[in-house]
Amino acid sequence: MRFLRLEDVAEELNVKLPQVRALVKSGELPAIQIGGRGMWRVERVELENYIQQRYAQTREEIANDSQS
């Protein structure tokens, strides 16, 4: 499946739906709106990119903390 509903993203990340909505609204997690009702969808590759970015950010924070 190429596109995920926000509910699916929340389940994958094991977080609540409002947190996923906040990530989308901030632009941190790219998403598109589909149809007249404006249903949000996240492309699976974008979710994977977001996860990889978070891993990189975490590694950087750990490295900075260990230098302190």
Side-chain angles (χ1 to χ4, degrees):
M1 190 165 32
R2 180 175 177 178
F3 290 96
L4 302 168
R5 298 174 308 139
L6 295 188
E7 294 85 357
D8 299 326
V9 173
E11 186 175 324
E12 290 245 356
L13 294 176
N14 196 27
V15 298
K16 303 251 187 230
L17 182 58
Q19 189 172 355
V20 174
R21 288 185 199 275
L23 290 171
V24 168
K25 288 189 180 213
S26 73
E28 197 171 342
L29 178 61
I32 58 173
Q33 279 189 301
I34 303 292
R37 294 179 140 179
M39 303 297 290
W40 286 99
R41 296 293 183 263
V42 175
E43 197 168 7
R44 182 168 290 283
V45 69
E46 293 295 348
L47 176 59
E48 294 302 324
N49 289 340
Y50 170 76
I51 292 168
Q52 291 307 314
Q53 290 169 2
R54 295 298 299 154
Y55 274 123
Q57 184 178 358
T58 300
R59 281 190 296 271
E60 186 177 311
E61 289 171 1
I62 290 170
N64 289 339
D65 286 348
S66 67
Q67 293 176 0
S68 298

